[in-house]
């Protein structure tokens, strides 16, 4: 149980563990491509509206708190790093470190979602909802929200909520995966000879990170 | 419409229809030749090389390179011809001559409204012959599409922006005009006609169709009733349609889907036009468009209400 | 040994619903798709019955609009997109490359369930909410402020899309990683190439319909104002999003069909498929070009003239790789030995119908001509010639071809030929008439044409003929269903390779393949159509008739 060999995990329809690993990895890459395309649809919508209404978008993005955004960027980058490190230690068979790193990753992801929660509720509190519910009011940080009740600002926030919302769902999925991986590693299901799920989740997490790296400047900064 | 057109195409009655038809025919007949060649060879080969003995094992045959190349080149040449021709004509279909007579088209579920430069309006499109006519079109609800087969003209009519189409009718006649973008329940009856008239007759018609301020309100109301397409959903002779008949509506008692009742006085009629969803008549779906508050001037509403008042049961 | 095929490997309903065997999953798809095809066909017959004579006959406007919408949605999303990859791709592809299963068998089963969830949601949208009347194209703003059923349908399409993505992903990895030793890329059967090209399109295009459906869903639910002009949105943007997927999707429908035709032409001509490399690569070329032409659905939609011109040019380019295939299929018969069994009749029928459908596709790609033809019955005829006449006919041909391998039984050849004749006659009567009325101006999605008769009296005759044709077609299809079901019990037992084909699923497996396909992994030493290198497959009538005598393992040449 403690040391996992290749034979334990080889499915009958594969000729070798290597083939099995290659297949899994290729499958994951293809899946990531579909994820990129899913987001690129939203990026197209964003670009189209940005090109049509550049001033509105620039103006509306002032309402997003770039400091919180930057914080979240750092948090995600850190979590990507801990994942990479956990894979490194998995190759060395240092399971305790792997578990710790995975838990740190999970923590980072949670922190990210907590920050997002405050961002979202902060917006809702001022009547900023996706779609027809958009009716900004009140004041904070020296900005009068009512000034942002201009045409197409609603579109900006709809796009903001959709993109960060779908991204957030991906973070949640990642959190579930990390929790699951941490238990499996702790129970000794993986070894340096077999840790495909960890490797693949790592790939997935890097993608979630990269997408955020695009979302952050597009939505918060420019 | 005496002219029935050919087998494939309907009668042609615009300055560009002939050109479109020539291109259509060129593509059609070239395709037929290609098709005949493909299917001819298929049948020939299937018969010539049919299996005579279950154990037949013909020697492998390697395709010849020049054949592969030729069936890359020939189609390429053909499509280049067709593309060039098609796109030149498309440009001509798209760009109206500078001296065009401009008519504004407003499409709504499920009727057409045409507005002429002098303010006249109609539900049937009247155009002068031998003069380029440019349509400036928009929709007040969903997407519609204006199609006149005889002119080979079609263009989508969008809400919230203008699209354009132009044609020059070559013959005095009546031609069907259809909506060809699916727009809901009565898409298939969103039909009207184009009436092409000589310039003289057209001018006379234009005079008669313009709303004369001196007309009595109920007469103006009647004209508006037709122009706005109310008759698409309401009869004035008692027959029920999509909406209730408006014959004898004034001062009658109405019952609504929420169980309340009211007497159809002036204010009720006004509300029913401006804000139809507020009270929905028992037995009918809330289908009446809500656009009239935006598209009708208040004198026009007055005129309509005045007209509804004179629709008595005989 | 060979009688313990995958069908008997285990029993009971659970053994089917929880199977990870790609062959059984193929059959799960077959059952589901056949049911949906019947349903979609039922709606089609309602449409044709209503249009048979002018005036309102069997249903009103609303019911009609729902009928063609449900017909289109069911046929496109629940029938033709999953059909060939799901049924035959699953069953045949691993066998043809000498694999024991697809790369991710559990994902494969999950795809089927995801597909079924999508299908159930779509049907719920119809049965629970009702009033599904947007057309299969969901154009905004009609869809975004209409019936709430749109919420169900968009969710359904979104979910079913994932099934398609996962199937494609599975096949790409399978083709890359699971080929038997010696199965080099230029020895892949053309069906595998076609499924491979299809899978690329599925993986790259489907996410876009996914996000489109999400946006439309939110537009309907929250009025986010992306697509609805009343809120500042742009309906033409929606059309771009929609067709960016839905044009490539038509190649998801037709590419696998083309793969089937390549197999049929090779086997039943017993000749090298002419231009193997050209056919294989043209699939990839079509898959690629297919992404660049979506704007040809919008020539009169209000997109800029310059985009229309570019899209028109790219549209024509697709005709060229497709032409290469068609010409090569025909050339395959040259100096071959053409055996006109039922599957081959369908292959020839495909050539006939698809050539018409494809060439009329080129016609409607011509800018100035499309202005006249757009949204008329000419378009309806074009896409039925390619979808029903192309993809579905190829599927039916493929099902006949692989029937002995799937079920271990033969169907009645006579019944097969009669039904093929009925389908051919019925189909052309139904849809050729639509070309004529379409180019004469008959608009599509019209509940009635009575008011048009004043100026176009000929529409009545064409519509009636079309409706009559559709009943002949339906009768032919029912006949197939009946003799197919009958053969399951009463059909004569098949041999392992009744057609004398040379691909692995025929040469290296039992009558019905064993649960794990091959007892020993095959070693591939020749191309898929090298009949002259494998004369033992058909030289002796004896052997062909009683293949049980040929232990499939003797055929492995090492
Ligand atoms: C299986 C599905 C399928 C396939 C394969 C195709 C194939 C093609 N389609 Fe079709 N199409 C649809 C399904 C399909 N289509 C559907 C569903 C719609 C309508 C959607 C809706 O509005 O509801 C549609 C609509 C549609 C339109 C929009 C029309 C309109 O709404 O106004 C256009 C315009 O360009 C078009 C073009 C083409 C072309 C050029 C091909 C080409 O791929 C065809 C290539 C084939 C050949 C060309 C024939 C074989 C070649 C030869 C014999 C060699 C000689 C060739 C030349 C000289 C060129 N299609
Ligand atoms: C795969 C795609 C597909 C297929 C196969 C069909 C098949 C048929 N279609 Fe359809 N059709 C569409 C896709 C398809 N259609 C689409 C996308 C639209 C546009 C919708 C829109 O505008 O939104 C459309 C629209 C459309 C219209 C236009 C409606 C309008 O614009 O107002 C019409 C009218 O005649 C029509 C008719 C038919 C007929 C008679 C068949 C016949 O071929 C059907 C015959 C089938 C049967 C009768 C069922 C019998 C089945 C069996 C017996 C099961 C056997 C099982 C196996 C062999 C596995 N279709
Ligand atoms: Cu208006 Cu269709
Ligand atoms: Cu297309």
């Amino acid at each position: 149980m403690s040391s996992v060999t290749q034979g334990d995990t080889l499915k009958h329809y594969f000729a070798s563990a290597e083939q099995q690993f290659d297949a899994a990895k290729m499958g994951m890459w293809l899946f990531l491509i579909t994820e990129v395309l899913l987001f690129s649809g939203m990026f197209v919508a964003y670009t189209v509206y940005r090109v049509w209404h550049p001033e509105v978008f620039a103006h509306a993005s002032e309402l997003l708190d770039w400091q919180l955004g930057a914080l979240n960027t750092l948090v995600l980058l850190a979590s990507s790093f801990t994942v990479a490190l956990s894979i490194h230690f998995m190759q060395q068979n240092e399971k305790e470190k792997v578990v710790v790193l995975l838990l740190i990753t999970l923590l980072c992801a949670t922190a990210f979602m907590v920050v997002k929660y405050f961002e979202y509720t902060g917006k809702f509190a001022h009547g900023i909802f996706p779609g027809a519910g958009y009716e900004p009011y009140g004041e904070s940080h020296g900005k009068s929200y009512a000034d942002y009740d201009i045409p197409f600002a609603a579109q900006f926030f709809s796009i903001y909520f959709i993109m960060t919302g779908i991204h957030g769902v991906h973070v949640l999925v990642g959190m579930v995966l990390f929790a699951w991986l941490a238990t499996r590693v702790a129970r000794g299901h993986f070894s340096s000879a077999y840790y495909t799920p960890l490797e693949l989740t790592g790939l997935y997490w890097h993608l979630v990170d990269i997408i955020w790296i695009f979302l952050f400047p597009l939505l918060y900064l420019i | 419409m005496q002219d029935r057109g050919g087998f494939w195409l309907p009668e042609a009655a615009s300055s560009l229809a002939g050109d479109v038809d020539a291109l259509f025919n060129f593509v059609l007949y070239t395709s037929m030749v290609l098709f005949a060649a493909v299917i001819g060879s298929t049948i020939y080969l299937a018969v010539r090389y049919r299996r005579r003995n279950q154990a037949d094992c013909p020697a492998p045959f390697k395709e010849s390179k020049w054949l592969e190349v030729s069936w890359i080149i020939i189609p390429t040449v053909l499509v280049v011809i067709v593309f060039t021709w098609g796109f030149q004509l498309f440009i001509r279909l798209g760009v109206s001559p500078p001296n065009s007579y401009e008519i504004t088209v407003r499409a709504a579920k499920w009727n057409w409204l045409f507005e002429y430069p002098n303010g006249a309006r109609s539900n049937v499109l009247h155009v002068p012959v031998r003069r380029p006519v440019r349509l400036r079109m928009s929709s007040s609800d969903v997407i519609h599409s204006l199609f006149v087969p005889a002119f080979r003209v079609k263009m989508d009519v969008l809400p919230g922006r203008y699209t354009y189409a132009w044609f020059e009718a070559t013959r005095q006649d009546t031609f069907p005009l259809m909506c060809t973008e699916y727009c809901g329940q009565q898409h298939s009856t969103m039909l009207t006609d184009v009436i092409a008239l000589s310039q003289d007759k057209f001018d006379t018609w234009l005079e008669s169709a313009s709303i004369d301020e001196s007309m009595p309100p109920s007469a103006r109301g009647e004209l508006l009733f037709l122009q706005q397409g109310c008759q698409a959903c309401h009869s004035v002779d008692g027959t029920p349609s999509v909406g209730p008949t408006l014959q004898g509506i004034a001062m009658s008692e109405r019952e609504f889907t929420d169980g309340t009742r009211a007497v159809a006085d002036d204010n009720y009629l006004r509300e029913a036009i401006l804000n139809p969803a507020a009270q929905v008549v028992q037995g009918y779906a809330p289908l009446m468009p809500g656009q009239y508050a935006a598209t009708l001037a208040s004198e026009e509403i007055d005129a309509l209400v005045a007209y509804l008042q004179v629709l008595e049961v005989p | 040994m060979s009688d313990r095929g995958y069908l008997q490997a285990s029993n009971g309903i659970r053994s089917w619903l929880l199977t990870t065997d790609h062959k059984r999953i193929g059959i799960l798809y077959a059952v589901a798709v056949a049911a949906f095809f019947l349903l979609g066909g039922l709606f089609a017959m309602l449409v044709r019955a209503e249009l048979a004579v002018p005036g309102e006959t069997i249903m009103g406007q609303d019911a009609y609009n729902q009928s063609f919408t449900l017909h289109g949605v069911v046929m496109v999303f629940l029938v033709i997109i999953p059909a060939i990859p799901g049924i035959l791709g699953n069953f045949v592809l691993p066998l043809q490359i000498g694999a024991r299963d697809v790369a991710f068998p559990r994902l494969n089963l999950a795809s089927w369930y995801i597909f079924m969830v999508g299908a159930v949601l779509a049907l719920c949208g119809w049965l629970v909410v009702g009033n599904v009347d947007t057309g299969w194209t969901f154009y905004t703003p009609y869809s975004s402020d209409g019936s709430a059923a749109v919420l169900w349908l968009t969710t359904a399409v979104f979910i079913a899309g994932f099934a398609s993505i996962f199937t494609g992903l599975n096949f790409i990895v399978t083709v890359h990683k699971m080929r038997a030793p010696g199965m080099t890329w230029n020895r892949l059967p053309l069906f595998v190439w076609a499924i491979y090209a299809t899978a690329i399109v599925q993986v790259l295009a489907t996410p876009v319909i996914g996000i489109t459906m999400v946006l439309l869903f939110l537009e309907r639910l929250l009025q986010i104002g992306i697509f609805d002009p009343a809120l500042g949105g742009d309906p033409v943007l929606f059309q771009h999003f929609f067709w960016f997927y839905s044009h490539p999707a038509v190649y998801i429908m037709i590419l696998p069909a083309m793969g089937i035709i390549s197999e049929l032409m090779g086997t039943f001509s017993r000749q090298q498929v002419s231009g193997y490399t050209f056919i294989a690569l043209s699939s990839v070329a079509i898959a690629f070009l297919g992404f660049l032409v979506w704007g040809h659905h919008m020539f009169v939609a209000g997109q800029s003239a310059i985009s229309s011109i570019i899209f028109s040019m790219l549209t024509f380019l697709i005709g060229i790789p497709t032409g290469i295939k068609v010409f090569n299929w025909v050339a395959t018969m040259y100096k071959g030995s053409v055996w006109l069994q039922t599957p081959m009749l369908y292959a020839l029928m495909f050539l006939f119908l698809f050539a018409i459908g494809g060439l009329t596709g080129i016609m409607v790609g011509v800018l100035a001509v499309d202005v006249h033809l757009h949204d008329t019955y000419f378009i309806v005829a074009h896409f039925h010639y390619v979808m029903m006449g192309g993809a579905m006919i190829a599927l039916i041909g493929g099902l006949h071809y692989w029937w002995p391998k799937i079920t271990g039984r033969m169907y009645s050849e006579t019944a097969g030929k009669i039904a093929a004749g009925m389908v051919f006659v019925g189909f052309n009567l139904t849809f050729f008439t639509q070309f004529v009325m379409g180019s004469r101006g008959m608009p599509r999605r019209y509940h009635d044409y009575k008011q048009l008769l004043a100026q176009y009296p000929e529409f009545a005759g064409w519509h009636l003929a079309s409706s009559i044709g559709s009943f002949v077609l339906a009768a032919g299809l029912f006949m197939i269903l009946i003799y197919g079901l009958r053969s399951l019990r009463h059909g004569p037992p098949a041999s392992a390779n009744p057609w004398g084909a040379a691909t692995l699923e025929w040469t290296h497996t039992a009558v019905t393949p064993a649960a794990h396909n091959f007892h020993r992994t095959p070693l591939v030493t020749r191309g898929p159509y090298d009949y002259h290198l494998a004369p033992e497959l058909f030289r002796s009538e004896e052997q062909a008739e009683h293949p049980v005598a040929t232990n499939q393992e003797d055929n492995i040449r090492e």
Side-chain angles (χ1 to χ4, degrees):
Chain A
M1 183 82 208
S2 54
S3 87
V4 184
T5 62
Q6 307 193 344
D8 296 346
T9 50
L10 182 62
K11 305 267 178 24
H12 73 84
Y13 42 89
F14 285 110
S16 67
E18 199 193 349
Q19 186 194 27
Q20 174 168 336
F21 176 71
D22 283 356
K25 195 152 177 177
M26 184 175 184
M28 194 64 199
W29 275 109
L30 287 168
F31 178 69
L32 295 186
I33 292 178
T34 68
E35 290 279 27
V36 169
L37 283 155
L38 189 85
F39 276 94
S40 61
M42 288 178 278
F43 279 112
V44 168
Y46 170 87
T47 314
V48 166
Y49 276 90
R50 171 131 212 146
V51 168
W52 282 341
H53 310 287
E55 340 71 39
V56 180
F57 269 48
H59 189 55
S61 73
E62 289 166 9
L63 283 187
L64 298 181
D65 188 336
W66 69 268
Q67 285 155 334
L68 289 182
L71 174 67
N72 260 349
T73 312
L74 291 180
V75 167
L76 271 195
L77 281 176
S79 71
S80 250
F81 178 70
T82 51
V83 172
L85 215 56
S86 76
I87 294 174
H88 169 78
F89 283 117
M90 195 72 245
Q91 287 160 344
Q92 325 274 310
N93 262 331
E94 302 195 46
K95 275 173 220 137
E96 293 70 30
K97 289 188 183 165
V98 176
V99 174
V100 171
L101 284 165
L102 286 177
L103 291 178
I104 298 180
T105 314
L106 186 57
L107 211 67
C108 288
T110 317
F112 179 92
M113 291 312 288
V114 170
V115 173
K116 273 256 80 78
Y117 171 80
F118 283 113
E119 284 192 74
Y120 272 27
T121 47
K123 295 285 164 297
F124 295 159
H126 286 284
I128 294 182
F129 292 100
Y134 182 79
E135 266 172 39
Y137 62 84
E139 250 180 74
S140 87
H141 295 85
K143 290 183 192 110
S144 158
Y145 277 76
D147 291 352
Y148 293 86
D149 198 359
I150 50 176
F152 300 107
Q155 266 88 348
F156 174 84
F157 282 102
S158 294
I159 291 174
Y160 162 80
F161 280 117
I162 296 170
M163 293 182 93
T164 55
I166 295 185
H167 178 262
V169 171
H170 282 80
V171 175
L172 285 176
V173 170
M175 288 166 63
V176 174
L177 290 174
F178 286 126
W180 172 72
L181 283 174
T183 9
R184 287 198 66 184
V185 176
R187 289 199 190 145
H189 290 182
F190 301 143
S191 73
S192 58
Y194 173 76
Y195 57 91
T196 315
L198 179 58
E199 167 113 16
L200 299 187
T201 312
L203 283 177
Y204 169 80
W205 194 247
H206 293 320
L207 180 87
V208 172
D209 195 9
I210 290 170
I211 288 174
W212 179 256
I213 304 272
F214 278 95
L215 289 180
F216 172 57
L218 288 179
L219 293 170
Y220 290 74
L221 298 182
I222 58 171
Chain B
M1 223 171 47
Q2 317 82 353
D3 181 5
R4 306 234 46 84
F7 178 75
W8 287 99
L9 292 160
E11 88 282 18
S14 78
S15 57
L16 286 184
D19 295 342
V20 174
D21 293 2
L23 178 54
F24 177 93
N25 285 322
F26 175 77
V27 196
L28 178 71
Y29 292 113
T30 318
S31 297
M32 283 183 173
V33 171
L34 275 171
F35 176 74
V38 169
I39 296 309
S41 349
T42 304
I43 293 172
Y44 170 77
L45 292 173
V47 173
R48 167 73 180 73
Y49 295 104
R50 72 185 175 281
R51 186 167 302 175
R52 295 189 168 84
N53 174 349
Q54 267 316 319
D56 271 351
C57 182
F61 178 78
K62 204 78 195 124
E63 72 277 3
S64 81
K65 285 282 167 292
W66 70 262
L67 209 58
E68 291 292 333
V69 171
S70 74
W71 58 49
I72 296 179
I73 300 213
I74 296 173
T76 311
V77 171
L78 285 173
V79 298
V80 167
I81 298 176
V82 170
F83 166 73
T84 330
W85 190 346
F87 111 77
Q88 285 174 344
L89 192 53
F90 183 67
I91 300 288
R92 282 166 63 206
L93 282 172
V95 182
S96 54
N99 60 337
S100 306
Y101 180 75
E102 188 163 292
I103 299 176
T104 304
V105 179
R106 195 152 252 272
K109 284 179 187 171
W110 290 275
N111 56 66
W112 299 96
L113 178 65
F114 304 99
E115 261 182 55
Y116 302 82
N118 72 341
R121 293 167 164 193
S122 68
N123 286 121
V124 174
L125 178 58
H126 290 73
V127 296
V129 285
R130 304 209 177 285
R131 174 152 178 214
V133 172
R134 178 170 127 115
L135 305 178
R136 193 177 65 164
M137 312 190 287
S138 66
S139 157
S140 19
D141 37 48
V142 299
I143 305 178
H144 303 268
S145 188
L146 179 139
F147 178 35
V148 186
F151 297 165
R152 315 286 187 263
V153 164
K154 180 180 293 119
M155 188 69 208
D156 280 8
V157 184
L158 301 172
R161 83 159 76 150
Y162 289 120
T163 53
Y164 301 89
W166 82 275
F167 54 81
E168 182 181 327
T170 51
R171 213 175 58 228
Q172 294 189 44
D173 207 336
T174 303
F175 309 101
L177 183 160
M178 316 156 176
C179 175
T180 45
E181 183 61 68
Y182 175 66
C183 53
Q185 195 198 36
Q186 294 169 59
H187 166 60
S188 55
T189 51
M190 192 165 158
L191 308 166
T192 183
D193 286 321
V194 187
I195 301 181
L197 301 166
S198 67
Q199 188 72 48
D200 286 350
K201 285 194 201 144
F202 178 73
D203 290 337
T204 332
W205 173 83
L206 204 56
E207 268 317 297
S208 70
S210 22
I211 294 183
D212 188 342
E213 297 300 323
S214 64
M215 272 191 217
S218 62
R220 276 173 55 202
E222 181 170 10
L223 210 54
L224 277 166
F225 192 81
L226 295 173
Q227 290 173 348
Q228 291 292 338
C230 310
Q231 84 285 5
C233 304
H234 297 286
S235 76
V236 291
D237 61 1
T239 37
S241 173
V242 180
T245 180
L246 298 179
Q247 187 185 44
I249 181 168
M251 297 319 282
S252 66
E253 178 160 290
R254 320 303 301 166
E255 190 184 340
F256 307 108
T257 42
D258 58 5
T260 55
R261 286 162 179 277
V263 169
D265 56 10
D266 289 8
N267 278 320
Y268 167 77
L269 292 177
R270 194 182 158 77
E271 265 311 289
I273 300 170
L274 290 177
N275 193 4
Q279 287 173 311
V280 176
V281 180
Q282 183 67 46
Y284 292 89
L287 283 172
M288 173 146 163
Q291 72 196 27
Y292 298 114
T295 55
L296 292 178
S298 57
E299 310 84 77
E300 292 176 318
I301 307 280
D302 297 344
L304 276 170
V305 171
Y307 170 62
L308 294 183
Q309 243 132 31
V310 302
L311 291 176
E312 274 154 18
V313 187
Chain C
M1 198 169 61
S2 49
D3 51 329
R4 293 282 305 163
Y6 75 104
L7 289 171
Q8 286 97 41
S10 53
N11 293 309
I13 189 86
R14 274 171 62 90
S15 78
W16 283 90
L17 290 179
L18 299 178
T19 182
T20 53
D21 180 345
H22 66 97
K23 300 180 288 303
R24 287 185 167 212
I25 294 177
I27 291 181
L28 291 180
Y29 271 106
V31 173
V33 167
F36 295 135
F37 185 49
L38 271 169
L39 182 68
L42 179 72
F43 287 120
M45 299 322 287
L46 290 176
V47 164
R48 280 314 333 158
E50 170 60 36
L51 294 174
V53 290
E56 181 174 323
T57 45
I58 60 166
M59 58 179 140
Q61 289 167 320
D62 287 324
Y64 179 84
N65 295 345
Q66 293 185 49
S67 297
F68 74 69
T69 301
L70 285 161
H71 166 63
V73 168
V74 169
M75 285 297 196
V76 171
F77 295 109
L78 305 186
V79 175
I80 198 169
I81 289 182
I84 302 181
I87 304 174
L88 293 176
N90 262 321
F91 192 92
V92 177
L93 180 129
L95 294 171
Q96 281 196 331
I97 62 172
R100 284 171 182 269
D101 208 319
V102 292
F104 311 112
R106 275 183 297 172
L107 182 67
N108 200 16
L109 180 64
S111 304
W112 185 76
Y113 278 102
I114 296 173
F115 166 65
M116 291 307 284
V117 169
V120 167
L121 282 177
L123 298 180
C124 281
W126 166 48
L127 294 172
V128 180
V129 186
N131 209 16
V132 184
D133 68 342
T134 55
W136 81 283
T137 48
F138 302 115
Y139 274 15
T140 56
Y142 188 74
S143 60
S144 58
D145 43 50
S147 157
V150 170
L151 295 175
W152 292 77
L153 285 190
T154 48
T155 316
V157 172
F158 177 81
I159 290 178
F162 276 97
S164 185
I165 291 178
F166 290 141
T167 304
L169 187 154
N170 223 330
F171 287 156
I172 295 182
V173 178
T174 307
V175 172
H176 271 274
K177 302 291 179 193
M178 310 287 281
R179 282 169 289 134
M183 180 56 81
T184 53
W185 285 90
N186 56 12
R187 284 185 188 151
L188 284 182
L190 287 164
F191 180 69
V192 175
W193 270 104
I195 293 283
Y196 178 72
T198 311
I200 293 178
V201 186
Q202 284 176 299
V203 166
L204 294 184
T206 318
V208 178
I209 194 76
I211 194 65
T212 309
M213 290 295 126
V214 170
L215 292 176
L216 179 56
F217 180 92
L218 293 173
E219 185 77 64
R220 177 65 183 70
L221 191 70
L222 303 172
Q223 288 81 45
I224 54 174
I226 307 277
F227 298 138
D228 187 344
L231 305 163
D234 184 3
V236 180
L237 184 66
F238 174 81
Q239 297 176 22
H240 280 292
F241 268 76
F242 182 82
W243 291 115
F244 183 84
Y245 165 76
S246 293
H247 185 84
V250 310
Y251 298 109
I252 297 178
M253 307 167 190
I254 202 69
L255 282 174
M258 293 169 158
I260 295 176
I261 299 306
S262 300
E263 297 300 314
L264 297 182
M265 293 309 293
T267 301
F268 290 92
S269 305
R270 200 167 288 166
Q271 180 54 276
Q272 303 261 314
V273 174
S274 166
Y276 172 90
T277 328
F278 288 94
I279 293 193
L281 293 183
S282 65
S283 288
V284 182
I286 293 174
F288 173 73
L289 281 172
F291 279 98
L292 305 175
V293 306
W294 76 89
H296 66 208
H297 295 272
M298 302 165 59
F299 288 157
V300 301
Q303 70 181 0
S304 74
I306 188 80
S307 353
S308 291
I309 289 166
I310 293 168
F311 282 126
S312 166
M313 190 170 71
L314 293 167
T315 299
F316 291 140
L317 290 187
I318 296 217
I320 293 159
T322 317
I324 293 175
K325 284 176 185 272
V326 170
F327 295 130
N328 276 309
W329 288 323
V330 175
T332 301
M333 290 185 285
Y334 183 65
K335 300 213 166 147
S337 163
V338 180
W339 193 20
L340 292 174
Q341 293 296 86
T342 309
M344 185 61 167
L345 291 185
Y346 281 104
L348 298 180
M349 201 190 300
F350 172 95
L351 286 183
F352 187 96
L353 302 178
F354 179 73
I356 297 183
L359 288 166
T360 52
I362 297 292
M363 283 186 79
V364 294
V366 182
L367 285 163
V369 174
D370 183 60
V371 170
H372 178 63
L373 297 176
H374 175 72
D375 270 351
T376 64
Y377 263 84
F378 198 91
I379 307 297
V380 177
H382 154 65
F383 66 73
H384 282 92
Y385 264 85
V386 276
M387 297 210 288
M388 178 72 196
M392 292 308 283
I393 290 299
L395 171 65
I396 295 174
L399 283 174
H400 280 84
Y401 175 56
W402 279 294
W403 193 257
K405 187 65 26 188
I406 297 175
T407 65
R409 302 279 185 163
M410 295 304 289
Y411 49 84
S412 154
E413 189 58 38
T414 328
K417 284 187 171 136
I418 295 174
M422 284 166 68
V423 168
F424 182 74
V425 172
F427 179 88
N428 283 297
L429 188 56
T430 313
F431 294 110
F432 197 81
T433 45
Q434 299 187 355
F435 278 125
V436 185
M437 63 174 138
S439 66
R440 298 193 66 86
M442 175 71 210
R444 64 188 280 204
R445 296 173 168 174
Y446 263 36
H447 159 252
D448 187 24
Y449 47 93
K450 195 173 185 173
Q451 281 166 271
L452 300 174
L453 291 179
Q455 273 133 325
Y456 298 106
E458 69 273 17
F459 287 169
W462 292 119
H463 269 301
L464 181 61
S466 175
S467 293
I468 294 174
S470 71
F471 281 90
V472 178
L473 172 60
L477 290 170
F478 265 105
M479 188 163 161
I480 300 174
L481 184 69
I482 285 160
Y483 71 69
L485 290 177
R486 191 171 179 282
S487 83
L488 292 180
R489 225 161 243 290
H490 306 288
S495 64
N497 188 359
W499 317 117
T503 40
L504 295 182
E505 81 276 26
W506 299 107
T507 58
H508 283 64
T509 68
V511 176
T512 51
H516 295 157
N517 298 350
F518 306 98
H519 296 289
R520 231 184 305 155
T521 306
L523 179 72
V524 183
T525 54
R526 56 171 169 74
Y529 313 109
D530 285 338
Y531 301 94
H532 61 293
L533 296 181
E536 74 280 2
L537 298 179
F538 40 84
R539 189 53 35 100
S540 127
E541 292 270 324
E542 248 349 271
Q543 266 180 326
E545 229 68 283
H546 308 287
V548 200
T550 2
N551 187 334
Q552 69 280 355
E553 269 160 289
D554 298 344
N555 291 336
I556 305 173
R557 278 168 304 147
E558 282 157 309

